[in-house]
Amino acid sequence: MFKQNLNYRFMFATTVAIVLIMTVNFTWDYYEQKRQSYQELREKAQVITKQLLATREFIAQKQDRINFDSQGHFEFKGLNPAAVGRGLGDIFASWTEYGIKQTRLEVRNPKNAPDEYEKQALYKFQADPALQEVWGEDTLNGRKVFRYIVPLRVNESCLPCHGEPAGSTDIAGYPKEGYKYGGLAGAISITVPMDIFISNLRSDMLRHFGFIFVLLGVTLAAIYVLLNRLVASPLSQLKKAAAEMGSGNLNVDLTNVKAVGEIKELAMQFQDMALQLSNLYGNMEQQVETRTRELQLANEVLKAKQQELEKANLQLAQANEHKSRFLATMSHELRTPLTSIIAFTELLLENMDPEDGLSRQNLQEIKVNGENLLNLINNLLDLAKIEAGRYQLNLETVDMVDVIGSVERVIAPLAMKKGIDFKTRFMEEIPLLKADPEKIHRVVENLAGNAVKFTPQGGKVEIKVDFDRETQTVLVEVNDTGIGIKEEDQERIFERFVQVDNSNSRRYRGTGLGLALAKELVEMHGGWIRVSSRPEEGSAFTVGLPVAASLEEGKDG
Ligand code: ADP
C-alpha cells in the first residue's frame, strides 16, 4: 500500500539518484584531493631538498674559506656539507614537525643510518642512476607520514673527503670511502607528518556528507510538498468524486480543486463528465417515468379489455350452456314421440296385409327415416351432454368379445342385406378393460355402420381386435373396401357436422356427428382414434384403448 504511494516512489527514486551521484562525486573528490595533497607535499619536499642541496653545495664550495684563516693556516671547522646538513635538519626539526635526514648505506655517524624505507630507496637509486626521487606514504612510530627521498650523487666537491684513495684520512679525520664521480653518495630523506592533511581530508569529507544530507533533505521535502499539493491531494479529491459518482451521486463539485496544469484540466473534464452524466441520467429517469406511465395506461386499457372479454366469455359460456341444455331437453322431448312413432310403425308393419306392397313400402320408409332421426337425436343429445359437462361414463370391467359380439349382431344383418362380406377377427387374447361398455359399443357400431354405409355391394368389412403389449393398448380396427376418404379430408371428418361430399352424404345419408361423438367417447376413455384411407380403395379406422389409462369421468347431469 505504502509502496504504491506516488510520493514514496518519487522520493525513493530521487534519493537513489542523489545518493548515487553524490557517491560518485564524493569518491572522485576524495581521490582528487588525496592526489593534490601528495602533489603539494612532494613539491614542498622538493623545495626543501633543493634548499638543502644548495646549502650543501655552498658549504662544499666554501670549505677553503671556512677552514683557512687569513694567514693561510688550515683549521678544520667541522662545517662540511654533511655536518651543515645535519645541523640544518636538527633546527628544522625543532621548528617544524618535518624531519630532514642525510643517510647512506655505509654511515660514518650511526645517527644517519637509514630506516627500512630509506634503505629500499637507496637500493633503488643504486640500481637506477637516472632515478631522481622516491616518495610515498609510510607509518613511522605509529604516525602516518609522507616520505620523500632524493639521491646524493658524487660531484667534484665530494671527492676531497670521500674520493680516492680509499682508506686515506680526509680532513675530518675519517677514512675516505673511495667514491667515484657520479656514484651514489647517499640520500636526503624528508619526512612530513600527514596528520594535518588527513584531518583536512576528513573535515572536507564531513562537509561533503553534510552537504549531501542537506541536499537530500531539502530535495525530498520539496518533492513531498510539491507532489502532495500538486498531484496527490487533487488526485485524492478526484478519487473521492469518482467514488461518489460510482455510488450514484452525480452532483460532484471539483471547481475548487487546488491543482495546476494537466491535473487541473483532468479535474475540469471530470466535472464536465459528471454534469453530462447527470443530465443524461435525469433525461433517462424522465423517459422511464413517461414510459412507465404509458405502460400503466396501456395496462389499464388491457385490463378493461380483459374484463370485457371475460364478461363476453361468461355470456358466451352461459349461452352455450343454455343451448346445450335446450338441445338436451329438446332431444329428450323429441325422443319419446319418435320412439313411439317407430314402435307403432313396426306394429303396423307386423299387422299389415303382405299383399299391400305400396303401404308396406311407405311404412318401411317411415321406419327407416324415424330410426335415422332417432340416431341423429341420440348423437345430438350425447354431444350436447358432453359439451355441458354432464356426460358420465359407467365404468365396468369390459370384455371386448362381448362388445364386438353385440356390434356384430346389429351390423351383420345390415351387411348381409347390402351384399357385403362382414367379419370379426381377434388377433390376440384381449385383456379385460375398465370402460363404459355401452359407449365402446356405440363407437364401434358407428365405425362399422359407416363402413357398411360407404362400401358398395360385394365389398368387405372387417372388425379386427388386437393388443399391443408394448403400449398396453387394445386396438380395434374397422376396415372396409369402400369409397375411401381423400387425404385432405381425413382430419376434418372428426369435426361435428362434417360430411366429405354433399352429394355423397345425400346419397348415403347421415348427419356428420357420428365420428365427432366417437372421438369424444374414445378420448374420455383416455384413448385415440385414427384413420388411414385411400379413395376408391377403402378405409381403416383404428381405435386405441389403453388398458391402464386413467379414465376421465364425466359429471352426472
Ligand atoms: P355421417 O352420419 O355422415 O356418417 P360421420 O361423422 O359418421 O357422419 O362421418 C362423417 C363423414 O366421414 C361421412 O359423411 C363420410 O363422408 C366420411 N366417412 C366416415 N366413415 C367413412 C368410411 N368408412 N368410408 C368413407 N367415408 C367415410
Short mmCIF file of all heavy atoms in Angstrom, two decimals, residues 10 15 22 33 42 95 144 211 224 271 282 332 348 412 425 451 461-462 481 491 545 550 554:
data_model
loop_
_atom_site.label_atom_id
_atom_site.label_comp_id
_atom_site.label_asym_id
_atom_site.label_seq_id
_atom_site.Cartn_x
_atom_site.Cartn_y
_atom_site.Cartn_z
N PHE A 10 8.40 8.70 -5.91
CA PHE A 10 9.21 9.83 -6.35
C PHE A 10 10.39 10.04 -5.41
O PHE A 10 11.52 10.23 -5.83
CB PHE A 10 8.34 11.10 -6.36
CG PHE A 10 7.81 11.38 -7.74
CD1 PHE A 10 6.57 10.93 -8.13
CD2 PHE A 10 8.56 12.11 -8.64
CE1 PHE A 10 6.09 11.17 -9.38
CE2 PHE A 10 8.08 12.37 -9.92
CZ PHE A 10 6.84 11.89 -10.29
N THR A 15 16.01 9.92 -4.01
CA THR A 15 17.05 9.57 -3.03
C THR A 15 18.12 8.71 -3.69
O THR A 15 19.31 8.98 -3.58
CB THR A 15 16.43 8.81 -1.85
OG1 THR A 15 15.34 9.57 -1.37
CG2 THR A 15 17.44 8.58 -0.75
N MET A 22 26.08 11.59 -5.70
CA MET A 22 26.96 12.13 -4.68
C MET A 22 28.05 11.15 -4.30
O MET A 22 29.16 11.54 -3.98
CB MET A 22 26.16 12.54 -3.43
CG MET A 22 25.25 13.73 -3.65
SD MET A 22 25.92 15.04 -4.65
CE MET A 22 26.75 16.00 -3.44
N GLN A 33 41.52 14.94 -4.13
CA GLN A 33 42.12 15.71 -3.03
C GLN A 33 43.39 15.04 -2.53
O GLN A 33 44.39 15.70 -2.24
CB GLN A 33 41.11 15.80 -1.88
CG GLN A 33 40.16 16.95 -2.09
CD GLN A 33 39.60 17.43 -0.76
OE1 GLN A 33 40.27 17.32 0.25
NE2 GLN A 33 38.40 17.95 -0.78
N ARG A 42 54.81 16.72 -2.13
CA ARG A 42 56.00 16.41 -2.93
C ARG A 42 56.74 17.69 -3.32
O ARG A 42 57.96 17.78 -3.22
CB ARG A 42 55.54 15.64 -4.18
CG ARG A 42 56.68 15.07 -4.97
CD ARG A 42 56.12 14.15 -6.05
NE ARG A 42 56.99 14.14 -7.19
CZ ARG A 42 56.59 14.14 -8.43
NH1 ARG A 42 55.29 14.19 -8.69
NH2 ARG A 42 57.45 14.10 -9.42
N TRP A 95 61.92 23.32 14.79
CA TRP A 95 60.94 24.36 14.48
C TRP A 95 59.63 23.79 13.92
O TRP A 95 58.58 24.33 14.13
CB TRP A 95 61.51 25.31 13.41
CG TRP A 95 62.61 26.23 13.93
CD1 TRP A 95 63.04 26.34 15.19
CD2 TRP A 95 63.40 27.10 13.14
NE1 TRP A 95 64.04 27.24 15.30
CE2 TRP A 95 64.31 27.74 14.01
CE3 TRP A 95 63.46 27.46 11.78
CZ2 TRP A 95 65.23 28.69 13.57
CZ3 TRP A 95 64.37 28.39 11.37
CH2 TRP A 95 65.26 29.00 12.27
N LYS A 144 51.07 8.41 10.52
CA LYS A 144 51.11 8.37 9.05
C LYS A 144 52.01 9.51 8.59
O LYS A 144 51.83 10.66 9.03
CB LYS A 144 49.70 8.56 8.48
CG LYS A 144 48.90 7.28 8.41
CD LYS A 144 48.31 7.16 7.02
CE LYS A 144 47.44 5.94 6.84
NZ LYS A 144 47.96 4.69 6.80
N PHE A 211 26.71 18.23 3.22
CA PHE A 211 26.08 18.85 2.06
C PHE A 211 25.08 17.89 1.40
O PHE A 211 23.96 18.24 1.07
CB PHE A 211 27.19 19.26 1.07
CG PHE A 211 26.66 19.79 -0.22
CD1 PHE A 211 26.00 21.02 -0.27
CD2 PHE A 211 26.77 19.05 -1.39
CE1 PHE A 211 25.51 21.51 -1.46
CE2 PHE A 211 26.25 19.53 -2.58
CZ PHE A 211 25.62 20.76 -2.61
N TYR A 224 8.10 16.18 -1.67
CA TYR A 224 6.93 15.79 -0.87
C TYR A 224 5.85 16.87 -0.92
O TYR A 224 4.69 16.61 -1.23
CB TYR A 224 7.37 15.51 0.57
CG TYR A 224 6.24 15.02 1.43
CD1 TYR A 224 5.85 13.68 1.36
CD2 TYR A 224 5.55 15.88 2.27
CE1 TYR A 224 4.80 13.23 2.12
CE2 TYR A 224 4.49 15.42 3.02
CZ TYR A 224 4.12 14.10 2.96
OH TYR A 224 3.08 13.65 3.68
N GLN A 271 -15.41 17.04 -14.08
CA GLN A 271 -16.58 17.82 -13.69
C GLN A 271 -17.60 17.84 -14.83
O GLN A 271 -18.79 17.62 -14.65
CB GLN A 271 -16.11 19.24 -13.35
CG GLN A 271 -17.22 20.21 -13.02
CD GLN A 271 -17.68 20.03 -11.58
OE1 GLN A 271 -16.90 20.24 -10.67
NE2 GLN A 271 -18.90 19.63 -11.41
N GLY A 282 -30.87 12.25 -15.67
CA GLY A 282 -32.14 12.95 -15.44
C GLY A 282 -33.10 12.68 -16.57
O GLY A 282 -34.27 12.34 -16.36
N HIS A 332 -84.44 -34.93 -25.76
CA HIS A 332 -85.15 -35.86 -24.89
C HIS A 332 -86.65 -35.85 -25.20
O HIS A 332 -87.28 -36.91 -25.35
CB HIS A 332 -84.90 -35.45 -23.44
CG HIS A 332 -85.36 -36.49 -22.48
ND1 HIS A 332 -84.67 -37.68 -22.29
CD2 HIS A 332 -86.46 -36.55 -21.69
CE1 HIS A 332 -85.32 -38.40 -21.42
NE2 HIS A 332 -86.42 -37.75 -21.03
N LEU A 348 -97.66 -51.63 -37.05
CA LEU A 348 -98.48 -51.57 -38.26
C LEU A 348 -97.92 -52.51 -39.33
O LEU A 348 -98.67 -53.22 -40.00
CB LEU A 348 -98.50 -50.12 -38.81
CG LEU A 348 -99.52 -49.19 -38.16
CD1 LEU A 348 -99.34 -47.76 -38.67
CD2 LEU A 348 -100.96 -49.64 -38.49
N ALA A 412 -74.20 -57.20 -38.77
CA ALA A 412 -74.22 -58.34 -39.71
C ALA A 412 -75.47 -58.36 -40.61
O ALA A 412 -75.33 -58.51 -41.83
CB ALA A 412 -74.08 -59.64 -38.92
N ARG A 425 -62.58 -60.41 -36.19
CA ARG A 425 -61.39 -61.25 -36.00
C ARG A 425 -60.65 -60.80 -34.74
O ARG A 425 -60.45 -59.60 -34.53
CB ARG A 425 -60.49 -61.07 -37.22
CG ARG A 425 -59.43 -62.12 -37.35
CD ARG A 425 -59.18 -62.42 -38.84
NE ARG A 425 -58.77 -61.23 -39.57
CZ ARG A 425 -57.52 -61.04 -40.01
NH1 ARG A 425 -56.58 -61.92 -39.77
NH2 ARG A 425 -57.24 -59.96 -40.69
N ALA A 451 -68.72 -48.03 -42.23
CA ALA A 451 -68.03 -48.90 -43.19
C ALA A 451 -69.02 -49.58 -44.13
O ALA A 451 -68.82 -49.60 -45.34
CB ALA A 451 -67.21 -49.95 -42.42
N VAL A 461 -66.15 -55.81 -45.16
CA VAL A 461 -65.97 -55.01 -43.94
C VAL A 461 -65.49 -55.96 -42.85
O VAL A 461 -66.00 -57.06 -42.73
CB VAL A 461 -67.31 -54.34 -43.53
CG1 VAL A 461 -67.19 -53.74 -42.13
CG2 VAL A 461 -67.73 -53.26 -44.52
N GLU A 462 -64.47 -55.49 -42.12
CA GLU A 462 -63.93 -56.38 -41.08
C GLU A 462 -63.65 -55.60 -39.82
O GLU A 462 -63.16 -54.47 -39.86
CB GLU A 462 -62.62 -57.01 -41.58
CG GLU A 462 -62.02 -57.97 -40.58
CD GLU A 462 -60.65 -58.48 -41.03
OE1 GLU A 462 -59.79 -57.61 -41.35
OE2 GLU A 462 -60.43 -59.67 -41.07
N THR A 481 -63.66 -51.92 -47.85
CA THR A 481 -63.14 -51.75 -49.21
C THR A 481 -64.00 -50.74 -49.94
O THR A 481 -64.24 -50.84 -51.14
CB THR A 481 -63.14 -53.09 -49.97
OG1 THR A 481 -64.48 -53.59 -49.92
CG2 THR A 481 -62.21 -54.09 -49.33
N GLU A 491 -58.68 -35.41 -41.69
CA GLU A 491 -58.70 -34.81 -40.35
C GLU A 491 -60.04 -34.17 -40.05
O GLU A 491 -60.53 -34.22 -38.93
CB GLU A 491 -57.58 -33.77 -40.25
CG GLU A 491 -56.92 -33.76 -38.88
CD GLU A 491 -55.64 -32.99 -38.92
OE1 GLU A 491 -54.67 -33.48 -39.54
OE2 GLU A 491 -55.63 -31.88 -38.35
N LEU A 545 -57.42 -48.19 -27.08
CA LEU A 545 -57.92 -48.03 -25.71
C LEU A 545 -56.88 -48.56 -24.74
O LEU A 545 -56.71 -49.78 -24.62
CB LEU A 545 -59.24 -48.78 -25.54
CG LEU A 545 -60.42 -48.23 -26.34
CD1 LEU A 545 -61.56 -49.25 -26.34
CD2 LEU A 545 -60.91 -46.90 -25.76
N SER A 550 -55.77 -43.65 -17.14
CA SER A 550 -56.58 -43.03 -16.08
C SER A 550 -57.81 -42.48 -16.74
O SER A 550 -57.74 -41.66 -17.64
CB SER A 550 -55.80 -41.89 -15.42
OG SER A 550 -55.49 -40.93 -16.39
N GLY A 554 -67.03 -38.42 -16.57
CA GLY A 554 -67.96 -37.32 -16.85
C GLY A 554 -68.76 -36.99 -15.60
O GLY A 554 -68.79 -37.76 -14.65
#
